[in-house]
Amino acid sequence: MRHFSRTLRVRSNPLVLAAALALGVVGVPTAIYAASQGNADAREAFANAEKFRALRDVRSARIELMNAIKADPEWIDARVAQAEVLLGLYDGIAAEAELDHALELGLDPAAVRHLYGHALLLQGKAQKALDQLQADDIPAEHQGYAARILGKVALQLGDDPLASRSFNRAMELDRRNPDLWVDIARFRADSGDQAGATNAVDEAVKLDPDNIRALQYRGELLRFQFGLGTALPWFERALEIDPNDVPLLTEYAATLGDMGRMTEMLTVARKIIALDGRNPRAFFMQSVLAARAGNYGLARRLMHKTEGTVDNVPAVMLVQGIIEHGEGNYNAAVDKFARLASIQPDNRQVQNLLARSLYLAGSAVDAVDVLKSQVNRTGADPYALWLAGRALESFDERGQAAGVMNRAAIHDTGREGAIVEDVPLGILSAEAQRNPNDARAVVPYIRALYNAGDYVTAFAEAKRLQEGNPGASAAHILVADVAAAMGNFDEALNALDKARSIRFSEPVMLRLVEVLRSQGNMQKSGEVLAQYLNYNPSNIAGLRWMAYAHLETKSWSVAAHLLENLRLRIGDNDALIMAGLTQAYTGLGQTDKAIAAGRIAYRVQPSSPVVSHLYGLALTADGKRKQDAIALLEKAVAIMPENRVYRESLRHARSIAGQSRSSAES
């Protein structure tokens, strides 16, 4: 048990010392020489606090330590123990205040530099924390703790080499500390080593199966790897140990919200606010719920309650932009989305929102610039193509607009591929050769090779990167992309299986579905999709694919249910969703609903052969507007004359209408 000594030593009473030693349950330091050694009331409260700490109930421990300090304000041990508890509650300011009181009472500063460093870290005072943690007078028994906190400070400063050295030093001194393994797991995950992060957090759970932070982060990693639903059992297990842990409750609530379980999320968010009346993430989650309901005024008021403390979080920037956009403040929305786009330049949703806000704010040229990187490559979002076409039309670039709108009309987006690089291939090649083991240099080179059609070289480089980074999902995805482009689906599936074992993300799911469908393995494709949606039930891309799969198998009622839910979430401006509803309701014989959906789809994309065809089929089935049906089917055939399905639909409609077949359509 650690003993603190004050600068001016006071002789101790052996009987009091024995009593104080008997109170220690989990190793909280006891002062032999102090301004006070604790009166009877203080010692009783201190003992109660130790029992609560042993049960991991730090909130109750904090109250008992408050009682101990009130009973004997000059007892150093109670001050230090309270600082430790406050650090566990992430209250760095209050922890520092207790440590300051302990120093005023005579405690040697060296004895608590590790705690000071931790308190300063929580306040974002990284440089001051460094001064404490790099001091040369830290007692040996606290050096492991200090090294661990120094690693976290280094991460806050963006100094990865210092973080690595610090965590290695902590491993030498305190490798059986589960909190250390959690911090190492976070470090590895941030470095892109998902597999290494999983191994580290598993070690933390092994060392202490009831460690809240270890259980929480295991859930976070599973959420990242395989989907939202996989995290819930781990969060719930941790909540059984401490149902009032605010960081844990926050992750739990956020996950429920992302899964679409909004009522449950709101319940947890309110509990968080009851425990921590100024918790910004809880107010943010309530703001998200209000924004989803279209109540932007309430969403803004709730966002104001975060007091700007989470304004740099990407998800917060997104919602702030949506609020501004929803209230028609397009220039303000541009500011939010532009800031987010600078942080996440490849986020298509952000690109589309920024471009739409720019377009509505009267900056169509800037909107096109934002969408250019998407439009100029395969895998473009249909909405991005449509919006770029509208923006080009607005400043009389009608030739370019027609080309882009035609792509949007026939849904010629292609598969998601490499990002087009503005840097010449030769420069990227030279940079990759200078830094052959640096993914930041090699990945742009591989993507540029892919875009240039040099799949052989791209594949060789991607395989080399994959072999050097087996724990990085992105490396396996690159191999899969190039292999699929070469028609080597077995190699692509092998790489995607490896990526999936690290992180079963939306990009991995979409690629797996596409490759399996390319092989004709529709059943396995459906299984992959179902597994993904089991843990990510609100994922729009997955639900869209599932709906289309049910349309293919003529499961009309299931498809209609899925598509109606998607329609509720993203509105009527998605032509493919509305066209899918047209097809589903036609199959169900509900032609009034089919025609209503087809009319909306046609209004959104009148030049789409898919929309024209399905709308025409709905009118044909209804039988009341035969000529309109034929006109729509003729339009679909005119746009895509090689499509046999469209030609057969037109023949059928003409036959019903009693018209003869034309030679051009025979």
Side-chain angles (χ1 to χ4, degrees), residues 229-551:
T230 58
L232 294 183
W234 290 85
F235 294 158
E236 288 163 356
R237 176 179 163 189
L239 285 168
E240 290 176 0
I241 299 167
D242 185 356
N244 296 319
D245 186 274
V246 171
L248 176 60
L249 286 166
T250 302
E251 293 301 330
Y252 184 51
T255 305
L256 290 170
D258 289 342
M259 292 180 70
R261 294 164 60 174
M262 293 300 175
T263 301
E264 294 168 86
M265 181 200 79
L266 182 59
T267 299
V268 179
R270 286 171 174 166
K271 180 176 181 178
I272 293 169
I273 292 171
L275 293 166
D276 176 7
R278 300 182 65 181
N279 187 279
R281 287 190 66 186
F283 286 121
F284 166 66
M285 284 184 275
Q286 291 182 315
S287 178
V288 170
L289 191 58
R292 282 172 62 101
N295 191 341
Y296 299 113
L298 176 59
R300 184 185 296 278
R301 291 193 296 275
L302 288 165
M303 189 66 77
H304 282 163
K305 291 187 177 183
T306 68
E307 298 179 345
T309 56
V310 290
D311 281 358
N312 292 325
V313 175
V316 175
M317 297 181 201
L318 178 64
V319 175
Q320 288 175 335
I322 289 171
I323 291 170
E324 298 293 357
H325 189 282
E327 293 192 324
N329 303 320
Y330 301 122
N331 287 320
V334 166
D335 290 340
K336 300 294 184 184
F337 293 139
R339 186 175 170 218
L340 181 53
S342 69
I343 299 171
Q344 299 179 341
D346 297 327
N347 187 319
R348 292 183 176 192
Q349 180 190 20
V350 174
Q351 289 176 5
N352 293 348
L353 287 168
L354 173 58
R356 179 170 174 79
S357 297
L358 285 165
Y359 177 71
L360 293 173
S363 301
V365 174
D366 292 330
V368 171
D369 285 341
V370 169
L371 295 170
K372 190 179 297 181
S373 64
Q374 228 190 115
V375 171
N376 288 344
R377 75 182 195 219
T378 60
D381 186 291
Y383 178 75
L385 293 170
W386 178 83
L387 181 58
R390 287 283 181 254
L392 286 164
E393 280 182 339
S394 70
F395 54 90
D396 292 328
E397 288 289 346
R398 299 191 179 278
Q400 292 187 62
V404 173
M405 294 295 283
N406 285 339
R407 282 180 61 196
I410 62 174
H411 312 290
D412 179 20
T413 62
R415 69 184 306 280
E416 182 179 2
I419 298 172
V420 176
E421 298 292 339
D422 294 329
V423 182
L425 183 60
I427 294 176
L428 293 172
S429 175
E431 185 65 23
Q433 290 175 9
R434 281 194 297 270
N435 301 281
N437 299 316
D438 187 344
R440 290 170 294 186
V442 177
V443 169
Y445 176 49
I446 296 171
R447 287 174 168 169
L449 288 167
Y450 178 104
N451 188 63
D454 187 353
Y455 299 137
V456 173
T457 307
F459 184 71
E461 289 292 331
K463 287 291 288 184
R464 189 180 62 78
L465 184 68
Q466 179 191 44
E467 290 165 2
N469 299 271
S473 179
H476 301 301
I477 290 175
L478 274 175
V479 171
D481 278 352
V482 183
M486 298 170 72
N488 188 348
F489 297 123
D490 288 340
E491 179 73 41
L493 284 176
N494 181 54
L496 288 171
D497 283 339
K498 291 177 180 178
R500 178 183 181 177
S501 69
I502 297 168
R503 186 189 178 198
F504 192 18
S505 61
E506 179 184 304
V508 171
M509 177 272 292
L510 291 173
R511 285 167 168 81
L512 277 169
V513 168
E514 183 174 346
V515 172
L516 288 166
R517 288 173 68 89
S518 297
Q519 289 186 315
N521 195 342
M522 301 302 179
Q523 180 176 345
K524 184 64 179 295
S525 170
E527 290 172 359
V528 167
L529 189 56
Q531 289 166 1
Y532 181 79
L533 285 172
N534 184 46
Y535 294 119
N536 301 276
S538 297
N539 181 269
I540 289 176
L543 290 171
R544 186 190 291 269
W545 260 113
M546 183 63 77
Y548 296 159
H550 282 292
L551 288 174

